[in-house]
Amino acid sequence: MTVSRRRFLEWVAAAGVGTAAASSAKAAHGEFSGYPDSYGVLFDATLCLGCRSCEKACNEVNKLPAPEKLFTDLTVFDEKRRTDYRTFTVVNRYNDTGADKPVYRKIQCNHCLEPACASACFVGAFKKTPEGAVEYDASVCVGCRYCIIACPFNIPAYEYNEALTPRVMKCTLCLPRLREGKLPGCVEACPVEALTFGRRKDLIAIAHEKIRKYPGRYIDHIYGQHEMGGTSWMYLSGVPYTKIDLRTDLGTTPAPEFTSGALAMVPMVIGLWPVLLGGIYKITQRKEKIADAERRQEVANAIAATQGEADAKARAAAEKFQKDKERAVDMAVKKALADADKEKGKEGE
């Protein structure tokens, strides 16, 4: 395959546009430590009863599909669950914790101060809002699903069942409700106040006060205050956090510091993509042209061979017909002569 210099430069120009766009998207992330007056939620595992009222409220507020089991059906606790594209929050039960009774934990997006999903998204589909929520913009999402891989809490889920407009789905911290001055649906529905909503800095003060006041009830650590640079959704527990499936190996370094090196390659990949696709397209076109020419030649050869066979058969048939005709004429002449001789013999008698 040959490519003209002009065509090559056109491809390089296209690659430059892609690189510039990707660089802009990456630059939009920057390094960010959250909004100082943002809101959050503090979950107290020592108070949660596993009633699933938060699950029901989340389902109704976000207009999600009805679950397979009713929210009053507590057999769901027989297995560990995770959030998916139809369920933004789930409550799991933990029996093997060393506590006198089962411990429950609510699971949803933790709305990190410096979100891993946002740092991994090269089109800026995720962003941290002043309210504290990590917001997702489906209109710019390209479906790469890097956010799903990047999330250390295994939260974002993909709508694989949507063929035309799949989205990444997760808890929104009820951002539309916050902007209307309302509480998140789960917080409003909790009957035992296991969920406390407020400014993040106030929630941290409340949590420290609880630990100070009831040292025998709580682990002396607020999960989410510093993990992965901090989260807007934080936890208090009376049992080690590993016992309720919260990772304690994440450290305190924000996600963007881990992803920045890897993401530096993304603009290059995006920039070279048009060149790669252009080359593949040209090669494919050439192969298709060659294959089409070969097919045409094969058809022509087949037609020629068929025509030759037909002509040969036609000639053989014509020759046979001519011989048969000559034989018939000869026999007819001989018969006529024989009949004439018979008639003469009768007359001579």
Side-chain angles (χ1 to χ4, degrees), residues 192-240:
V192 294
E193 298 184 355
L195 298 169
T196 303
F197 175 81
R199 297 193 184 279
R200 184 176 184 273
K201 59 185 178 182
D202 295 335
L203 295 177
I204 292 172
I206 291 171
H208 279 300
E209 178 60 20
K210 281 191 171 188
I211 293 171
R212 185 197 67 78
K213 192 172 182 180
Y214 305 104
R217 178 188 295 181
Y218 297 104
I219 297 295
D220 189 9
H221 178 71
I222 305 168
Y223 191 95
Q225 181 177 2
H226 300 296
E227 277 75 10
M228 294 297 292
T231 61
S232 291
W233 198 286
M234 296 174 289
Y235 302 81
L236 282 178
S237 174
V239 300

mmCIF file of all heavy atoms in Angstrom, residues 192-240:
data_model
loop_
_atom_site.group_PDB
_atom_site.id
_atom_site.type_symbol
_atom_site.label_atom_id
_atom_site.label_comp_id
_atom_site.label_asym_id
_atom_site.label_seq_id
_atom_site.Cartn_x
_atom_site.Cartn_y
_atom_site.Cartn_z
ATOM 1 N N VAL A 192 -33.297 5.293 62.506
ATOM 2 C CA VAL A 192 -32.493 5.268 63.736
ATOM 3 C C VAL A 192 -31.348 6.268 63.696
ATOM 4 O O VAL A 192 -30.473 6.252 64.564
ATOM 5 C CB VAL A 192 -31.948 3.843 64.000
ATOM 6 C CG1 VAL A 192 -33.084 2.877 64.295
ATOM 7 C CG2 VAL A 192 -31.107 3.345 62.821
ATOM 8 N N GLU A 193 -31.324 7.110 62.685
ATOM 9 C CA GLU A 193 -30.299 8.140 62.536
ATOM 10 C C GLU A 193 -28.890 7.546 62.476
ATOM 11 O O GLU A 193 -27.939 8.098 63.049
ATOM 12 C CB GLU A 193 -30.403 9.175 63.660
ATOM 13 C CG GLU A 193 -31.732 9.928 63.659
ATOM 14 C CD GLU A 193 -31.801 11.019 64.720
ATOM 15 O OE1 GLU A 193 -30.849 11.132 65.514
ATOM 16 O OE2 GLU A 193 -32.809 11.752 64.743
ATOM 17 N N ALA A 194 -28.793 6.440 61.773
ATOM 18 C CA ALA A 194 -27.460 5.873 61.529
ATOM 19 C C ALA A 194 -26.726 6.692 60.479
ATOM 20 O O ALA A 194 -25.513 6.549 60.309
ATOM 21 C CB ALA A 194 -27.581 4.423 61.070
ATOM 22 N N LEU A 195 -27.452 7.548 59.770
ATOM 23 C CA LEU A 195 -26.894 8.406 58.739
ATOM 24 C C LEU A 195 -27.047 9.861 59.170
ATOM 25 O O LEU A 195 -28.160 10.317 59.475
ATOM 26 C CB LEU A 195 -27.612 8.189 57.403
ATOM 27 C CG LEU A 195 -27.511 6.779 56.812
ATOM 28 C CD1 LEU A 195 -28.464 6.628 55.646
ATOM 29 C CD2 LEU A 195 -26.081 6.494 56.371
ATOM 30 N N THR A 196 -25.934 10.571 59.192
ATOM 31 C CA THR A 196 -25.955 11.990 59.562
ATOM 32 C C THR A 196 -25.437 12.809 58.387
ATOM 33 O O THR A 196 -24.332 12.558 57.887
ATOM 34 C CB THR A 196 -25.073 12.257 60.799
ATOM 35 O OG1 THR A 196 -25.512 11.432 61.877
ATOM 36 C CG2 THR A 196 -25.158 13.724 61.212
ATOM 37 N N PHE A 197 -26.227 13.785 57.962
ATOM 38 C CA PHE A 197 -25.845 14.648 56.842
ATOM 39 C C PHE A 197 -25.390 16.001 57.377
ATOM 40 O O PHE A 197 -25.957 16.537 58.341
ATOM 41 C CB PHE A 197 -27.038 14.842 55.895
ATOM 42 C CG PHE A 197 -26.767 15.801 54.777
ATOM 43 C CD1 PHE A 197 -26.083 15.400 53.642
ATOM 44 C CD2 PHE A 197 -27.187 17.125 54.857
ATOM 45 C CE1 PHE A 197 -25.825 16.277 52.607
ATOM 46 C CE2 PHE A 197 -26.941 18.017 53.822
ATOM 47 C CZ PHE A 197 -26.261 17.592 52.702
ATOM 48 N N GLY A 198 -24.370 16.568 56.739
ATOM 49 C CA GLY A 198 -23.922 17.890 57.139
ATOM 50 C C GLY A 198 -22.655 18.264 56.401
ATOM 51 O O GLY A 198 -22.210 17.554 55.486
ATOM 52 N N ARG A 199 -22.069 19.396 56.780
ATOM 53 C CA ARG A 199 -20.794 19.777 56.179
ATOM 54 C C ARG A 199 -19.725 18.793 56.648
ATOM 55 O O ARG A 199 -19.703 18.385 57.808
ATOM 56 C CB ARG A 199 -20.425 21.207 56.554
ATOM 57 C CG ARG A 199 -21.426 22.236 56.024
ATOM 58 C CD ARG A 199 -20.896 23.638 56.115
ATOM 59 N NE ARG A 199 -21.913 24.605 55.700
ATOM 60 C CZ ARG A 199 -22.183 24.905 54.434
ATOM 61 N NH1 ARG A 199 -21.495 24.326 53.461
ATOM 62 N NH2 ARG A 199 -23.121 25.779 54.142
ATOM 63 N N ARG A 200 -18.847 18.451 55.744
ATOM 64 C CA ARG A 200 -17.880 17.390 56.032
ATOM 65 C C ARG A 200 -17.065 17.704 57.281
ATOM 66 O O ARG A 200 -16.829 16.816 58.118
ATOM 67 C CB ARG A 200 -16.962 17.175 54.826
ATOM 68 C CG ARG A 200 -15.990 16.017 55.002
ATOM 69 C CD ARG A 200 -15.168 15.795 53.741
ATOM 70 N NE ARG A 200 -14.308 14.619 53.881
ATOM 71 C CZ ARG A 200 -13.099 14.634 54.419
ATOM 72 N NH1 ARG A 200 -12.581 15.797 54.857
ATOM 73 N NH2 ARG A 200 -12.391 13.526 54.523
ATOM 74 N N LYS A 201 -16.618 18.928 57.423
ATOM 75 C CA LYS A 201 -15.779 19.277 58.579
ATOM 76 C C LYS A 201 -16.554 19.127 59.887
ATOM 77 O O LYS A 201 -15.993 18.748 60.918
ATOM 78 C CB LYS A 201 -15.233 20.697 58.433
ATOM 79 C CG LYS A 201 -16.304 21.780 58.305
ATOM 80 C CD LYS A 201 -15.659 23.131 58.054
ATOM 81 C CE LYS A 201 -16.731 24.223 57.878
ATOM 82 N NZ LYS A 201 -16.114 25.547 57.578
ATOM 83 N N ASP A 202 -17.875 19.397 59.841
ATOM 84 C CA ASP A 202 -18.708 19.232 61.038
ATOM 85 C C ASP A 202 -18.909 17.751 61.356
ATOM 86 O O ASP A 202 -18.951 17.357 62.529
ATOM 87 C CB ASP A 202 -20.057 19.910 60.844
ATOM 88 C CG ASP A 202 -19.930 21.428 60.704
ATOM 89 O OD1 ASP A 202 -18.934 21.981 61.211
ATOM 90 O OD2 ASP A 202 -20.809 22.048 60.075
ATOM 91 N N LEU A 203 -19.047 16.931 60.307
ATOM 92 C CA LEU A 203 -19.229 15.494 60.505
ATOM 93 C C LEU A 203 -17.988 14.883 61.157
ATOM 94 O O LEU A 203 -18.100 13.987 62.006
ATOM 95 C CB LEU A 203 -19.506 14.804 59.171
ATOM 96 C CG LEU A 203 -20.811 15.194 58.475
ATOM 97 C CD1 LEU A 203 -20.919 14.477 57.127
ATOM 98 C CD2 LEU A 203 -22.020 14.848 59.341
ATOM 99 N N ILE A 204 -16.818 15.365 60.761
ATOM 100 C CA ILE A 204 -15.580 14.865 61.354
ATOM 101 C C ILE A 204 -15.540 15.223 62.840
ATOM 102 O O ILE A 204 -15.157 14.396 63.683
ATOM 103 C CB ILE A 204 -14.355 15.443 60.621
ATOM 104 C CG1 ILE A 204 -14.287 14.882 59.195
ATOM 105 C CG2 ILE A 204 -13.072 15.138 61.380
ATOM 106 C CD1 ILE A 204 -13.227 15.529 58.325
ATOM 107 N N ALA A 205 -15.987 16.424 63.169
ATOM 108 C CA ALA A 205 -16.016 16.848 64.580
ATOM 109 C C ALA A 205 -17.014 16.005 65.365
ATOM 110 O O ALA A 205 -16.733 15.590 66.506
ATOM 111 C CB ALA A 205 -16.386 18.328 64.665
ATOM 112 N N ILE A 206 -18.163 15.722 64.757
ATOM 113 C CA ILE A 206 -19.178 14.890 65.422
ATOM 114 C C ILE A 206 -18.630 13.485 65.668
ATOM 115 O O ILE A 206 -18.816 12.898 66.742
ATOM 116 C CB ILE A 206 -20.456 14.821 64.558
ATOM 117 C CG1 ILE A 206 -21.156 16.185 64.543
ATOM 118 C CG2 ILE A 206 -21.399 13.733 65.057
ATOM 119 C CD1 ILE A 206 -22.301 16.274 63.543
ATOM 120 N N ALA A 207 -17.955 12.935 64.671
ATOM 121 C CA ALA A 207 -17.407 11.584 64.789
ATOM 122 C C ALA A 207 -16.349 11.514 65.889
ATOM 123 O O ALA A 207 -16.339 10.579 66.705
ATOM 124 C CB ALA A 207 -16.816 11.151 63.452
ATOM 125 N N HIS A 208 -15.464 12.501 65.940
ATOM 126 C CA HIS A 208 -14.431 12.513 66.984
ATOM 127 C C HIS A 208 -15.068 12.633 68.369
ATOM 128 O O HIS A 208 -14.597 12.003 69.337
ATOM 129 C CB HIS A 208 -13.456 13.668 66.757
ATOM 130 C CG HIS A 208 -12.412 13.364 65.726
ATOM 131 N ND1 HIS A 208 -11.531 12.313 65.860
ATOM 132 C CD2 HIS A 208 -12.096 13.973 64.540
ATOM 133 C CE1 HIS A 208 -10.718 12.279 64.802
ATOM 134 N NE2 HIS A 208 -11.044 13.274 63.988
ATOM 135 N N GLU A 209 -16.127 13.397 68.462
ATOM 136 C CA GLU A 209 -16.810 13.558 69.750
ATOM 137 C C GLU A 209 -17.458 12.249 70.186
ATOM 138 O O GLU A 209 -17.425 11.889 71.366
ATOM 139 C CB GLU A 209 -17.857 14.667 69.650
ATOM 140 C CG GLU A 209 -18.667 14.899 70.924
ATOM 141 C CD GLU A 209 -17.815 15.290 72.133
ATOM 142 O OE1 GLU A 209 -16.667 15.743 71.942
ATOM 143 O OE2 GLU A 209 -18.301 15.140 73.271
ATOM 144 N N LYS A 210 -18.033 11.513 69.228
ATOM 145 C CA LYS A 210 -18.627 10.208 69.556
ATOM 146 C C LYS A 210 -17.566 9.250 70.072
ATOM 147 O O LYS A 210 -17.774 8.525 71.054
ATOM 148 C CB LYS A 210 -19.299 9.615 68.320
ATOM 149 C CG LYS A 210 -20.674 10.182 68.001
ATOM 150 C CD LYS A 210 -21.349 9.344 66.920
ATOM 151 C CE LYS A 210 -22.795 9.743 66.724
ATOM 152 N NZ LYS A 210 -23.529 8.827 65.819
ATOM 153 N N ILE A 211 -16.422 9.235 69.388
ATOM 154 C CA ILE A 211 -15.329 8.342 69.791
ATOM 155 C C ILE A 211 -14.833 8.720 71.187
ATOM 156 O O ILE A 211 -14.556 7.849 72.027
ATOM 157 C CB ILE A 211 -14.186 8.403 68.764
ATOM 158 C CG1 ILE A 211 -14.650 7.808 67.416
ATOM 159 C CG2 ILE A 211 -12.963 7.648 69.274
ATOM 160 C CD1 ILE A 211 -13.663 8.022 66.280
ATOM 161 N N ARG A 212 -14.737 10.022 71.450
ATOM 162 C CA ARG A 212 -14.265 10.488 72.761
ATOM 163 C C ARG A 212 -15.260 10.144 73.858
ATOM 164 O O ARG A 212 -14.876 9.705 74.958
ATOM 165 C CB ARG A 212 -14.054 11.999 72.723
ATOM 166 C CG ARG A 212 -13.445 12.576 74.007
ATOM 167 C CD ARG A 212 -13.624 14.075 74.094
ATOM 168 N NE ARG A 212 -15.034 14.441 74.242
ATOM 169 C CZ ARG A 212 -15.717 14.352 75.382
ATOM 170 N NH1 ARG A 212 -15.119 13.890 76.484
ATOM 171 N NH2 ARG A 212 -16.980 14.716 75.442
ATOM 172 N N LYS A 213 -16.531 10.297 73.538
ATOM 173 C CA LYS A 213 -17.583 10.093 74.543
ATOM 174 C C LYS A 213 -17.849 8.622 74.809
ATOM 175 O O LYS A 213 -18.164 8.234 75.948
ATOM 176 C CB LYS A 213 -18.854 10.789 74.070
ATOM 177 C CG LYS A 213 -19.925 10.911 75.145
ATOM 178 C CD LYS A 213 -21.070 11.772 74.646
ATOM 179 C CE LYS A 213 -22.135 11.935 75.731
ATOM 180 N NZ LYS A 213 -23.269 12.793 75.253
ATOM 181 N N TYR A 214 -17.722 7.787 73.761
ATOM 182 C CA TYR A 214 -18.002 6.347 73.908
ATOM 183 C C TYR A 214 -16.811 5.538 73.387
ATOM 184 O O TYR A 214 -16.911 4.854 72.362
ATOM 185 C CB TYR A 214 -19.268 5.968 73.134
ATOM 186 C CG TYR A 214 -20.482 6.776 73.510
ATOM 187 C CD1 TYR A 214 -20.942 7.787 72.673
ATOM 188 C CD2 TYR A 214 -21.166 6.533 74.699
ATOM 189 C CE1 TYR A 214 -22.058 8.534 73.005
ATOM 190 C CE2 TYR A 214 -22.293 7.277 75.052
ATOM 191 C CZ TYR A 214 -22.719 8.279 74.200
ATOM 192 O OH TYR A 214 -23.829 9.028 74.544
ATOM 193 N N PRO A 215 -15.708 5.589 74.070
ATOM 194 C CA PRO A 215 -14.487 4.913 73.580
ATOM 195 C C PRO A 215 -14.629 3.399 73.479
ATOM 196 O O PRO A 215 -13.943 2.758 72.680
ATOM 197 C CB PRO A 215 -13.428 5.300 74.616
ATOM 198 C CG PRO A 215 -14.211 5.610 75.852
ATOM 199 C CD PRO A 215 -15.487 6.239 75.373
ATOM 200 N N GLY A 216 -15.515 2.802 74.273
ATOM 201 C CA GLY A 216 -15.699 1.363 74.215
ATOM 202 C C GLY A 216 -16.594 0.911 73.071
ATOM 203 O O GLY A 216 -16.649 -0.280 72.766
ATOM 204 N N ARG A 217 -17.283 1.848 72.461
ATOM 205 C CA ARG A 217 -18.223 1.489 71.386
ATOM 206 C C ARG A 217 -17.571 1.556 70.013
ATOM 207 O O ARG A 217 -17.929 0.778 69.122
ATOM 208 C CB ARG A 217 -19.426 2.441 71.407
ATOM 209 C CG ARG A 217 -20.432 2.160 70.294
ATOM 210 C CD ARG A 217 -21.506 3.235 70.205
ATOM 211 N NE ARG A 217 -22.346 3.269 71.398
ATOM 212 C CZ ARG A 217 -23.365 4.105 71.567
ATOM 213 N NH1 ARG A 217 -23.632 5.018 70.610
ATOM 214 N NH2 ARG A 217 -24.095 4.088 72.666
ATOM 215 N N TYR A 218 -16.631 2.479 69.833
ATOM 216 C CA TYR A 218 -16.104 2.740 68.497
ATOM 217 C C TYR A 218 -14.618 2.404 68.346
ATOM 218 O O TYR A 218 -13.838 2.538 69.303
ATOM 219 C CB TYR A 218 -16.281 4.215 68.136
ATOM 220 C CG TYR A 218 -17.722 4.661 68.074
ATOM 221 C CD1 TYR A 218 -18.267 5.430 69.111
ATOM 222 C CD2 TYR A 218 -18.532 4.340 66.988
ATOM 223 C CE1 TYR A 218 -19.586 5.860 69.060
ATOM 224 C CE2 TYR A 218 -19.850 4.766 66.931
ATOM 225 C CZ TYR A 218 -20.376 5.516 67.975
ATOM 226 O OH TYR A 218 -21.685 5.932 67.916
ATOM 227 N N ILE A 219 -14.240 2.019 67.142
ATOM 228 C CA ILE A 219 -12.835 1.973 66.746
ATOM 229 C C ILE A 219 -12.362 3.422 66.641
ATOM 230 O O ILE A 219 -13.074 4.288 66.123
ATOM 231 C CB ILE A 219 -12.676 1.273 65.373
ATOM 232 C CG1 ILE A 219 -13.147 -0.181 65.454
ATOM 233 C CG2 ILE A 219 -11.249 1.358 64.876
ATOM 234 C CD1 ILE A 219 -12.306 -1.058 66.358
ATOM 235 N N ASP A 220 -11.184 3.701 67.140
ATOM 236 C CA ASP A 220 -10.691 5.079 67.157
ATOM 237 C C ASP A 220 -10.154 5.483 65.780
ATOM 238 O O ASP A 220 -8.962 5.732 65.596
ATOM 239 C CB ASP A 220 -9.595 5.229 68.211
ATOM 240 C CG ASP A 220 -9.196 6.696 68.425
ATOM 241 O OD1 ASP A 220 -9.893 7.572 67.872
ATOM 242 O OD2 ASP A 220 -8.188 6.943 69.108
ATOM 243 N N HIS A 221 -11.044 5.506 64.836
ATOM 244 C CA HIS A 221 -10.660 5.893 63.477
ATOM 245 C C HIS A 221 -11.920 6.232 62.683
ATOM 246 O O HIS A 221 -12.910 5.485 62.737
ATOM 247 C CB HIS A 221 -9.900 4.765 62.781
ATOM 248 C CG HIS A 221 -9.524 5.077 61.360
ATOM 249 N ND1 HIS A 221 -8.553 6.008 61.038
ATOM 250 C CD2 HIS A 221 -9.988 4.601 60.178
ATOM 251 C CE1 HIS A 221 -8.429 6.081 59.719
ATOM 252 N NE2 HIS A 221 -9.300 5.233 59.164
ATOM 253 N N ILE A 222 -11.890 7.338 61.969
ATOM 254 C CA ILE A 222 -12.994 7.715 61.087
ATOM 255 C C ILE A 222 -12.615 7.283 59.674
ATOM 256 O O ILE A 222 -11.704 7.866 59.069
ATOM 257 C CB ILE A 222 -13.250 9.235 61.110
ATOM 258 C CG1 ILE A 222 -13.476 9.727 62.529
ATOM 259 C CG2 ILE A 222 -14.435 9.591 60.211
ATOM 260 C CD1 ILE A 222 -13.448 11.239 62.661
ATOM 261 N N TYR A 223 -13.273 6.271 59.195
ATOM 262 C CA TYR A 223 -12.931 5.785 57.853
ATOM 263 C C TYR A 223 -13.447 6.774 56.810
ATOM 264 O O TYR A 223 -14.636 7.098 56.771
ATOM 265 C CB TYR A 223 -13.556 4.416 57.602
ATOM 266 C CG TYR A 223 -13.018 3.746 56.342
ATOM 267 C CD1 TYR A 223 -11.967 2.836 56.425
ATOM 268 C CD2 TYR A 223 -13.530 4.051 55.085
ATOM 269 C CE1 TYR A 223 -11.446 2.229 55.284
ATOM 270 C CE2 TYR A 223 -13.015 3.456 53.939
ATOM 271 C CZ TYR A 223 -11.982 2.554 54.039
ATOM 272 O OH TYR A 223 -11.473 1.961 52.908
ATOM 273 N N GLY A 224 -12.524 7.241 55.963
ATOM 274 C CA GLY A 224 -12.882 8.209 54.935
ATOM 275 C C GLY A 224 -12.368 9.606 55.229
ATOM 276 O O GLY A 224 -12.376 10.470 54.353
ATOM 277 N N GLN A 225 -11.901 9.813 56.456
ATOM 278 C CA GLN A 225 -11.345 11.133 56.760
ATOM 279 C C GLN A 225 -10.076 11.368 55.950
ATOM 280 O O GLN A 225 -9.850 12.469 55.432
ATOM 281 C CB GLN A 225 -11.050 11.265 58.254
ATOM 282 C CG GLN A 225 -10.487 12.640 58.616
ATOM 283 C CD GLN A 225 -10.249 12.821 60.099
ATOM 284 O OE1 GLN A 225 -10.470 11.896 60.897
ATOM 285 N NE2 GLN A 225 -9.791 14.002 60.503
ATOM 286 N N HIS A 226 -9.263 10.310 55.813
ATOM 287 C CA HIS A 226 -8.002 10.461 55.094
ATOM 288 C C HIS A 226 -7.806 9.439 53.980
ATOM 289 O O HIS A 226 -6.937 9.640 53.123
ATOM 290 C CB HIS A 226 -6.824 10.361 56.077
ATOM 291 C CG HIS A 226 -6.849 11.397 57.151
ATOM 292 N ND1 HIS A 226 -6.728 12.755 56.896
ATOM 293 C CD2 HIS A 226 -7.016 11.289 58.504
ATOM 294 C CE1 HIS A 226 -6.791 13.425 58.025
ATOM 295 N NE2 HIS A 226 -6.969 12.568 59.021
ATOM 296 N N GLU A 227 -8.535 8.334 53.967
ATOM 297 C CA GLU A 227 -8.333 7.290 52.962
ATOM 298 C C GLU A 227 -8.408 7.859 51.550
ATOM 299 O O GLU A 227 -9.341 8.586 51.209
ATOM 300 C CB GLU A 227 -9.376 6.177 53.130
ATOM 301 C CG GLU A 227 -9.036 5.145 54.171
ATOM 302 C CD GLU A 227 -9.232 5.626 55.599
ATOM 303 O OE1 GLU A 227 -9.821 6.708 55.777
ATOM 304 O OE2 GLU A 227 -8.826 4.923 56.537
ATOM 305 N N MET A 228 -7.422 7.535 50.730
ATOM 306 C CA MET A 228 -7.369 7.995 49.336
ATOM 307 C C MET A 228 -7.522 9.506 49.225
ATOM 308 O O MET A 228 -8.129 10.018 48.293
ATOM 309 C CB MET A 228 -8.448 7.298 48.497
ATOM 310 C CG MET A 228 -8.253 5.808 48.331
ATOM 311 S SD MET A 228 -6.737 5.376 47.435
ATOM 312 C CE MET A 228 -7.102 5.973 45.798
ATOM 313 N N GLY A 229 -6.999 10.241 50.206
ATOM 314 C CA GLY A 229 -7.126 11.689 50.181
ATOM 315 C C GLY A 229 -8.386 12.205 50.824
ATOM 316 O O GLY A 229 -8.595 13.415 50.920
ATOM 317 N N GLY A 230 -9.248 11.294 51.279
ATOM 318 C CA GLY A 230 -10.487 11.684 51.953
ATOM 319 C C GLY A 230 -11.714 11.474 51.087
ATOM 320 O O GLY A 230 -11.654 11.547 49.858
ATOM 321 N N THR A 231 -12.834 11.204 51.747
ATOM 322 C CA THR A 231 -14.110 11.005 51.052
ATOM 323 C C THR A 231 -15.197 11.839 51.712
ATOM 324 O O THR A 231 -15.081 12.225 52.879
ATOM 325 C CB THR A 231 -14.524 9.516 51.081
ATOM 326 O OG1 THR A 231 -14.680 9.099 52.442
ATOM 327 C CG2 THR A 231 -13.475 8.637 50.406
ATOM 328 N N SER A 232 -16.254 12.091 50.980
ATOM 329 C CA SER A 232 -17.384 12.839 51.541
ATOM 330 C C SER A 232 -18.327 11.925 52.311
ATOM 331 O O SER A 232 -19.147 12.390 53.088
ATOM 332 C CB SER A 232 -18.153 13.555 50.426
ATOM 333 O OG SER A 232 -17.376 14.593 49.878
ATOM 334 N N TRP A 233 -18.247 10.622 52.048
ATOM 335 C CA TRP A 233 -19.032 9.636 52.788
ATOM 336 C C TRP A 233 -18.073 8.943 53.741
ATOM 337 O O TRP A 233 -17.104 8.331 53.314
ATOM 338 C CB TRP A 233 -19.661 8.622 51.846
ATOM 339 C CG TRP A 233 -20.805 7.880 52.481
ATOM 340 C CD1 TRP A 233 -20.712 6.907 53.429
ATOM 341 C CD2 TRP A 233 -22.193 8.069 52.235
ATOM 342 N NE1 TRP A 233 -21.962 6.465 53.789
ATOM 343 C CE2 TRP A 233 -22.904 7.169 53.073
ATOM 344 C CE3 TRP A 233 -22.924 8.903 51.391
ATOM 345 C CZ2 TRP A 233 -24.289 7.077 53.091
ATOM 346 C CZ3 TRP A 233 -24.302 8.815 51.399
ATOM 347 C CH2 TRP A 233 -24.972 7.917 52.240
ATOM 348 N N MET A 234 -18.348 9.055 55.053
ATOM 349 C CA MET A 234 -17.431 8.526 56.058
ATOM 350 C C MET A 234 -18.138 7.527 56.967
ATOM 351 O O MET A 234 -19.368 7.467 57.000
ATOM 352 C CB MET A 234 -16.833 9.680 56.857
ATOM 353 C CG MET A 234 -15.973 10.608 56.001
ATOM 354 S SD MET A 234 -15.396 12.069 56.911
ATOM 355 C CE MET A 234 -16.921 13.002 57.095
ATOM 356 N N TYR A 235 -17.337 6.759 57.712
ATOM 357 C CA TYR A 235 -17.872 5.649 58.504
ATOM 358 C C TYR A 235 -17.322 5.647 59.928
ATOM 359 O O TYR A 235 -16.154 5.964 60.163
ATOM 360 C CB TYR A 235 -17.503 4.312 57.862
ATOM 361 C CG TYR A 235 -17.986 4.128 56.441
ATOM 362 C CD1 TYR A 235 -17.276 4.694 55.380
ATOM 363 C CD2 TYR A 235 -19.124 3.388 56.158
ATOM 364 C CE1 TYR A 235 -17.703 4.528 54.069
ATOM 365 C CE2 TYR A 235 -19.562 3.213 54.850
ATOM 366 C CZ TYR A 235 -18.842 3.788 53.812
ATOM 367 O OH TYR A 235 -19.270 3.632 52.521
ATOM 368 N N LEU A 236 -18.184 5.221 60.851
ATOM 369 C CA LEU A 236 -17.789 4.870 62.203
ATOM 370 C C LEU A 236 -18.169 3.417 62.422
ATOM 371 O O LEU A 236 -19.221 2.962 61.950
ATOM 372 C CB LEU A 236 -18.500 5.737 63.246
ATOM 373 C CG LEU A 236 -17.967 7.155 63.463
ATOM 374 C CD1 LEU A 236 -18.837 7.872 64.489
ATOM 375 C CD2 LEU A 236 -16.513 7.127 63.943
ATOM 376 N N SER A 237 -17.334 2.669 63.156
ATOM 377 C CA SER A 237 -17.614 1.255 63.379
ATOM 378 C C SER A 237 -17.138 0.825 64.753
ATOM 379 O O SER A 237 -16.184 1.392 65.293
ATOM 380 C CB SER A 237 -16.931 0.406 62.299
ATOM 381 O OG SER A 237 -17.063 -0.969 62.569
ATOM 382 N N GLY A 238 -17.809 -0.189 65.289
ATOM 383 C CA GLY A 238 -17.396 -0.759 66.559
ATOM 384 C C GLY A 238 -16.523 -1.977 66.381
ATOM 385 O O GLY A 238 -16.031 -2.534 67.366
ATOM 386 N N VAL A 239 -16.345 -2.413 65.131
ATOM 387 C CA VAL A 239 -15.489 -3.568 64.819
ATOM 388 C C VAL A 239 -14.461 -3.124 63.790
ATOM 389 O O VAL A 239 -14.666 -2.118 63.099
ATOM 390 C CB VAL A 239 -16.323 -4.756 64.282
ATOM 391 C CG1 VAL A 239 -17.345 -5.200 65.310
ATOM 392 C CG2 VAL A 239 -16.991 -4.396 62.959
ATOM 393 N N PRO A 240 -13.342 -3.836 63.673
ATOM 394 C CA PRO A 240 -12.347 -3.448 62.668
ATOM 395 C C PRO A 240 -12.973 -3.305 61.290
ATOM 396 O O PRO A 240 -13.846 -4.096 60.906
ATOM 397 C CB PRO A 240 -11.343 -4.615 62.708
ATOM 398 C CG PRO A 240 -11.455 -5.148 64.096
ATOM 399 C CD PRO A 240 -12.912 -5.010 64.468
#
